[in-house]
Amino acid sequence: MGGLVSALLVLASCSSGDSGAPAPAERTSEAPPLAKLTAKPADDATEVPPGEPVTITVTDGAIDEVALTNAEGKAVAGELAADKLTWTSGEVLGYAKTYSYNASATGSDGKKVELKGSFTTLKPGSTPRATINPTDGASVGVAMPISVKFPEGKVTDKAAVEKALKVTTSAPVEGSWAWLNAQQVDWRPKEYWPAGVKVTVEAKLYGVAYGGGAYGKSDLSTEFTIGRNQVVKVHTPDHRMDVYRDGKLFASYPASNGRDNDPNLNTPNGTMIVMAKEEVGDFSNPRYGYTNVMKKWAVRFSNHGEFIHENNENAANIGKANTSHGCVNLLEADAKAYFDSALIGDPVEVTGSKANMPTTSDVYDWLIPWSQWQSMSALN
């Protein structure tokens, strides 16, 4: 009997829930939030280009709020996308400044997440200024190029700069940028501009790396209008200067051009543009033995030394012989009439000379064939 009791006790012990086996672990922690916020630039980033937008993005959720502030606590404007997946800053940042961001979002699981951080923008080695021409509100001739210049330093990253330039026209116009040198890039149409076209130029240069530690100082823009189509044509053996409006002869003036027998004194062949107008110009040139020579109604069409101007002292040769040192001489009344009709940017086409215009004048865009012009773009 005692053996039976012992057996039953052993059996009961083996079948008891208090056998000492480990119990299932209790679930004391929740699943992590699904939403994930990401910032660009990342926290603690340095040397951040100020022209690049700051973006905050979320996955598996929607952005609730984003605050981007500068070191003084001033908010930087930005916009949340309609789908609430991305926030993008809407203004450029300063050079060598620290910015902080604070973002929150709600995940698809209903859980909130936050993201905080800060970054510092780059300190440029220099911020050279740039200029743009034509200026706002100008009315110019049909050969006028757009010119962006960098007078305070050379651009080595031409592609970066060119990407920041945009030309918008009120009617379709084929054209291209071309780098004339490391401090000047021009845009011109393939053919002369259509008359009456309105042109807008944007140069988003602030924050753009020019190379060599230089960055753009500020953005530039201009809006101008192309005037009537007027083209001056000078075929030097004819001793005349013809002015065409919309392809039709508008005026024809007797002229005396540069001396035929001396290529150094020719009025050189090529397409130039009206660059400047002076009611009285100083044509003194000690090299050729004359000083204090003032002529009326002077229209410059190159910086090589060529003008269209009055020269009544040469009246005996005007319309008969080429006797000037390269300028186009007209009688005073004709010079005044032409002066009054001319716009900066009008083309002046010269043919028939022994010499060609060298590409040393400030504006020689139209001396370059179109295919070559296109090849001078940094983006081609």
Side-chain angles (χ1 to χ4, degrees):
M1 186 70 177
L4 179 59
V5 171
S6 297
L8 289 173
L9 289 172
V10 171
L11 181 61
S13 175
C14 292
S15 61
S16 170
D18 297 327
S19 61
E26 294 183 6
R27 296 181 179 177
T28 58
S29 60
E30 296 183 9
L34 290 176
K36 183 178 180 181
L37 283 165
T38 305
K40 184 180 180 182
D43 186 24
D44 292 331
T46 59
E47 297 297 305
V48 174
E52 294 183 4
V54 178
T55 58
I56 307 291
T57 58
V58 68
T59 56
D60 291 319
I63 294 174
D64 297 322
E65 189 176 5
V66 175
L68 176 65
T69 57
N70 63 17
E72 290 75 40
K74 183 180 178 182
V76 176
E79 185 175 0
L80 182 62
D83 59 11
K84 296 187 176 182
L85 298 179
T86 305
W87 181 93
T88 306
S89 61
E91 58 184 273
V92 295
L93 307 180
Y95 287 119
K97 301 291 184 181
T98 298
Y99 294 86
S100 300
Y101 52 81
N102 190 340
S104 61
T106 302
S108 56
D109 56 1
K111 296 179 180 179
K112 301 280 188 179
V113 293
E114 289 189 355
L115 180 67
K116 295 183 179 181
S118 63
F119 61 88
T120 304
T121 55
L122 63 84
K123 182 179 181 179
S126 62
T127 53
R129 69 183 179 90
T131 64
I132 191 168
N133 194 60
T135 55
D136 257 338
S139 179
V140 297
V142 296
M144 188 71 185
I146 300 164
S147 186
V148 179
K149 294 183 179 181
F150 304 87
E152 297 179 352
K154 295 181 179 180
V155 174
T156 56
D157 193 344
K158 297 182 176 68
V161 169
E162 195 172 328
K163 287 177 183 177
L165 308 178
K166 182 180 180 182
V167 177
T168 305
T169 56
S170 60
V173 180
E174 182 181 359
S176 174
W177 291 100
W179 287 88
L180 304 185
N181 54 61
Q183 292 179 276
Q184 180 177 348
V185 59
D186 282 9
W187 192 101
R188 76 163 174 86
K190 180 180 180 180
E191 309 292 344
Y192 294 152
W193 293 97
V197 165
K198 298 184 184 303
V199 184
T200 300
V201 186
E202 296 175 283
K204 299 288 189 179
L205 295 174
Y206 179 82
V208 174
Y210 294 173
Y215 286 79
K217 186 180 185 69
S218 60
D219 293 341
L220 302 173
S221 66
T222 185
E223 295 183 10
F224 62 93
T225 304
I226 306 301
R228 78 289 174 273
N229 181 304
Q230 177 164 298
V231 181
V232 171
K233 296 188 178 186
V234 176
H235 185 62
T236 57
D238 296 344
H239 313 305
R240 299 199 69 80
M241 188 184 90
D242 294 330
V243 182
Y244 289 81
R245 283 273 181 98
D246 299 316
K248 298 180 180 179
L249 187 63
F250 175 74
S252 183
Y253 307 116
S256 178
N257 308 301
R259 294 180 183 177
D260 295 321
N261 59 355
D262 187 347
N264 291 322
L265 297 179
N266 279 185
T267 304
N269 299 316
T271 297
M272 286 68 74
I273 72 166
V274 171
M275 298 172 63
K277 297 168 61 177
E278 298 176 272
E279 292 187 4
V280 178
D282 185 350
F283 291 89
S284 303
N285 193 331
R287 176 184 175 185
Y288 292 102
Y290 51 92
T291 57
N292 195 31
V293 178
M294 312 300 289
K295 297 298 178 184
K296 298 178 181 178
W297 315 118
V299 177
R300 178 190 289 274
F301 62 93
S302 90
N303 276 344
H304 182 252
E306 286 72 30
F307 288 77
I308 300 166
H309 65 80
E310 163 274 325
N311 191 2
N312 273 10
E313 292 181 6
N314 195 30
N317 293 306
I318 290 177
K320 300 174 183 177
N322 291 329
T323 58
S324 82
H325 286 177
C327 291
V328 178
N329 291 177
L330 303 179
L331 298 172
E332 183 174 350
D334 294 342
K336 171 69 163 60
Y338 169 65
F339 182 96
D340 290 343
S341 78
L343 280 179
I344 305 299
D346 283 345
V348 178
E349 302 175 358
V350 179
T351 58
S353 295
K354 295 178 181 179
N356 295 323
M357 178 66 74
T359 55
T360 55
S361 177
D362 275 3
V363 185
Y364 59 88
D365 302 44
W366 295 97
L367 301 178
I368 301 172
W370 177 244
S371 59
Q372 180 183 346
W373 182 266
Q374 289 178 299
S375 73
M376 293 163 64
S377 164
L379 301 180
N380 287 341

